[in-house]
Amino acid sequence: ILQRYRRIALWLILGVYGVIGLLLAWRYGPAGSAAVLLPAVGGGVLAVALLAWAGVPVNLFHVLALLLVLGMGSDYAIFLREARGAEGPALLAVVLAVATAALSFGLLGFSSTPFIRAIGQVQALGIALALVLALALRPASVTSNR
């Protein structure tokens, strides 16, 4: 039953990613939407891929944690994109937010309770990778306005 719910949850999450992509396209245009959403998508996909590569069987709770990665990863990209002239403080705030969240969720990744461990693993890896991707995909105008 949980395998069936995992598939359903994965399709629903993909739908949520699509709806959020459309809403971001309304604000940033198609290319800007992709640049804002790609860190969250990439962070989640890479986190699950790394766990699968390490031999961790992906379950429903790994998939549900992708919603948290979506929310936090896209926030980081939006904050960095909207910095406009204040890149330093925005970058510091985002890096500190990622550090504290990755530390707290990373500690959950060591839990002996399987569903808590699953959420912590995906979340810690996903948001750290989302930060790296968000930094790499910042618009050129943000990085050159110093």
Side-chain angles (χ1 to χ4, degrees), residues 56-143:
V56 176
V58 177
N59 62 35
L60 173 65
F61 301 107
H62 289 104
V63 172
L64 292 177
L66 292 175
L67 283 174
L68 292 170
V69 174
L70 167 66
M72 296 173 85
S74 59
D75 282 349
Y76 302 147
I78 289 170
F79 293 149
L80 291 173
R81 186 176 185 87
E82 295 288 334
R84 290 194 191 117
E87 292 87 15
L91 181 60
L92 177 64
V94 168
V95 168
L96 289 176
V98 170
T100 57
L103 179 61
S104 60
F105 281 107
L107 290 174
L108 289 179
F110 293 106
S111 174
S112 61
T113 307
F115 78 90
I116 293 175
R117 181 175 52 243
I119 291 171
Q121 291 169 338
V122 170
Q123 187 65 16
L125 285 171
I127 61 173
L129 293 167
L131 173 65
V132 171
L133 292 171
L135 290 172
L137 294 173
R138 283 188 299 174
S141 62
V142 172
T143 57

Side-chain angles (χ1 to χ4, degrees), residues 8-24 33 37 40-41 63-64 66-71 74:
I8 292 169
L10 186 58
W11 283 109
L12 289 173
I13 288 170
L14 290 174
V16 168
Y17 276 70
V19 168
I20 291 176
L22 290 174
L23 291 172
L24 289 171
S33 171
L37 196 57
V41 172
V63 172
L64 292 177
L66 292 175
L67 283 174
L68 292 170
V69 174
L70 167 66
S74 59

